[in-house]
């Protein structure tokens, strides 16, 4: 297991090098001068030239790339052209909000998708099956931005039961910073009021993110269960007189979970890369909203830092999913 884990982590290195190279080339072919952006439109030309030399932009491209990689190896993602702050510090500030939102959305995806998919397969062609399939199709087809706006209109604008923006009400102070995850920090510091308020703020954006993923998981879990329930070993288990519940949850579900687990990893990994539309609509101070601001302002160091962190998070989640395969299916082992 340890050897396999080391090989998978080493395999990430060429992936990350490819991403840095691609992002670096893209940032240099765009006809925008980072030095002029950083100095401002009113800055004299000699100041811009001096800044260009300081940023290494007067060097050949290959030297600029090597300097960038050298900085990455020291944990330096560059300096934001908008704020003048280190990109690594800004990403560390925004990333916990994205992790918290993605985790809640992933949890809702599992809770809504897997049980409904299993029951839908077991009760095939029943009313429950038809209703859940329609709801799943709606989740897959509904654009996230439209669903987010609809949730704000109904639950904030009309009913007034859920907040629509931010991580906390203005009247509630954030818990002491330990992890950056408000739910975790509020529990660790005994701030029950902050925990309840943060949970309330997570529901609408979390559901907006989870609905589409839950629809995909439901459809995949249903089709996997239908396939497994027709296998010989399931018929044998039933012929031995085992209870239907034992057959479904002990024999069928574990084998049907593998493709579902793969899809969950893809969904969660993509959410960790920043839910751009959802974070923008709900004014969620996460990585996706940070990336939007960076793209609008042509903040190349911030964009490259975001892409690198998103790719790394996505890759690590997929490694974790591969390891979970052996938990769900004992026949799978890694050496």
């Amino acid at each position: 297991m340890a050897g396999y884990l080391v090989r998978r982590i080493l395999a990430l290195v060429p992936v990350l090098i490819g991403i840095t190279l691609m992002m670096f080339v893209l940032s240099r072919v765009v006809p925008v001068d980072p030095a002029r952006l950083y100095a401002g439109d009113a800055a004299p030309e000699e100041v811009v030239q001096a800044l260009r030399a300081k940023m290494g932009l007067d060097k050949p491209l290959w030297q600029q790339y090597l300097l960038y990689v050298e900085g990455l190896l020291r944990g330096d993602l560059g300096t934001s052209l908008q704020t003048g702050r280190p990109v690594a510090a800004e990403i560390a500030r925004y990333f916990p909000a994205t992790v918290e939102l993605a985790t809640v959305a992933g949890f809702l995806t599992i809770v809504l998708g897997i049980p409904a998919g299993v029951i839908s397969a077991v009760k095939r062609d029943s009313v429950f099956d038809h209703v859940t399939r329609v709801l799943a199709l709606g989740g897959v087809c509904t654009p996230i931005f439209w669903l987010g706006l609809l949730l704000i209109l109904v639950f904030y604008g009309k009913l007034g039961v859920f907040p629509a923006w931010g991580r906390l009400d203005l009247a509630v102070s954030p818990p002491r910073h330990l992890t950056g995850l408000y739910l975790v920090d509020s529990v660790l510091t005994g701030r029950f009021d902050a925990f309840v308020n943060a949970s309330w703020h997570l529901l609408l954006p979390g559901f907006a993110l989870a609905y589409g993923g839950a629809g995909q998981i439901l459809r995949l879990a249903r089709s996997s269960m239908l396939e497994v329930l027709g296998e010989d070993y399931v018929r044998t288990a039933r012929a031995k007189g085992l209870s239907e519940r034992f057959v479904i949850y002990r024999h069928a579900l574990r084998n049907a979970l593998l493709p579902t687990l793969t899809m969950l990893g893809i969904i969660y990994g993509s959410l960790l890369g920043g839910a751009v539309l959802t974070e923008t609509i709900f004014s969620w101070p996460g990585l996706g909203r940070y990336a939007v601001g960076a793209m609008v302002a042509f903040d190349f160091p911030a964009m490259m830092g975001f892409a690198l962190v998103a790719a790394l998070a996505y890759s690590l989640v997929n490694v974790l999913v591969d390891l979970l395969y052996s938990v769900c299916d004992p026949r799978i082992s890694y050496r």
Side-chain angles (χ1 to χ4, degrees):
M1 176 69 81
Y4 172 80
L5 188 59
V6 170
R7 289 196 300 274
R8 285 299 305 270
I9 292 177
L10 288 177
L12 295 181
V13 175
V15 175
L16 295 178
I17 290 176
I19 290 171
T20 59
L21 185 59
M22 183 177 63
M23 289 299 298
F24 180 82
V25 171
L26 286 176
S27 69
R28 293 302 186 269
V29 298
V30 174
V32 175
D33 186 356
R36 171 58 69 183
L37 278 178
Y38 192 75
D41 293 335
E45 184 59 27
E46 56 271 20
V47 173
V48 176
Q49 292 297 336
L51 189 57
R52 189 174 288 119
K54 182 181 177 182
M55 297 170 71
L57 297 175
D58 56 341
K59 294 181 171 58
L61 272 182
W62 66 272
Q63 284 189 16
Q64 294 182 39
Y65 178 71
L66 289 181
L67 288 173
Y68 176 67
V69 173
E70 183 185 345
L72 290 182
L73 295 177
R74 297 195 309 268
D76 180 9
L77 298 180
T79 302
S80 170
L81 300 180
Q82 290 185 90
T83 63
R85 298 184 59 208
V87 173
E90 294 199 325
I91 288 179
R93 175 186 171 194
Y94 288 104
F95 194 47
T98 292
V99 172
E100 192 167 62
L101 179 59
T103 303
V104 169
F107 175 75
L108 291 175
T109 300
I110 294 172
V111 169
L112 297 175
I114 293 181
V118 172
I119 297 173
S120 182
V122 173
K123 299 181 179 298
R124 185 178 183 180
D125 294 332
S126 65
V127 174
F128 181 87
D129 182 28
H130 293 307
V131 171
T132 52
R133 287 167 65 188
V134 170
L135 292 175
L137 188 62
V140 173
C141 298
T142 304
I144 287 183
F145 74 92
W146 185 85
L147 178 62
L149 293 174
L150 184 64
L151 291 173
I152 290 174
L153 175 65
V154 175
F155 292 100
Y156 174 74
K158 299 295 183 184
L159 301 178
V161 293
F162 289 112
W165 296 285
R167 300 179 71 185
L168 288 172
D169 287 346
L170 293 177
V172 179
S173 62
R176 185 159 58 91
H177 183 91
L178 296 175
T179 64
L181 309 174
Y182 280 2
L183 293 183
V184 176
D185 289 351
S186 58
V187 170
L188 293 178
T189 57
R191 288 285 310 280
F192 183 70
D193 60 326
F195 179 83
V196 173
N197 198 265
S199 302
W200 218 236
H201 278 258
L202 277 164
L203 283 178
L204 286 189
F207 181 79
L209 275 177
Y211 185 42
Q216 297 178 50
I217 293 299
L218 190 154
R219 289 162 61 91
L220 188 58
R222 180 183 181 276
S223 62
S224 299
M225 278 296 291
L226 286 175
E227 184 179 345
V228 171
L229 288 174
E231 295 288 339
D232 290 340
Y233 67 89
V234 173
R235 286 196 290 269
T236 302
R238 284 172 171 158
K240 288 166 63 179
L242 299 176
S243 69
E244 187 66 15
R245 182 185 295 272
F246 189 86
V247 171
I248 291 172
Y249 292 103
R250 181 70 176 178
H251 291 281
L253 181 57
R254 292 185 66 174
N255 290 293
L257 273 181
L258 293 183
T260 308
L261 196 59
T262 304
M263 180 59 72
L264 278 173
I266 293 172
I267 293 173
Y268 187 63
S270 62
L271 292 180
L272 282 181
V276 174
L277 289 176
T278 305
E279 290 184 2
T280 303
I281 291 171
F282 288 94
S283 296
W284 193 262
L287 206 55
R289 194 173 168 210
Y290 174 71
V292 171
M295 285 185 279
V296 171
F298 292 104
D299 191 346
F300 297 117
M303 285 191 285
M304 294 164 69
F306 162 76
L308 190 63
V309 170
L312 184 61
Y314 190 86
S315 302
L316 290 178
V317 168
N318 278 282
V319 172
L320 179 63
V321 168
D322 286 348
L323 295 179
L324 288 177
Y325 283 162
S326 61
V327 177
C328 294
D329 190 345
R331 295 171 299 179
I332 299 176
S333 63
Y334 299 111
R335 297 177 181 174

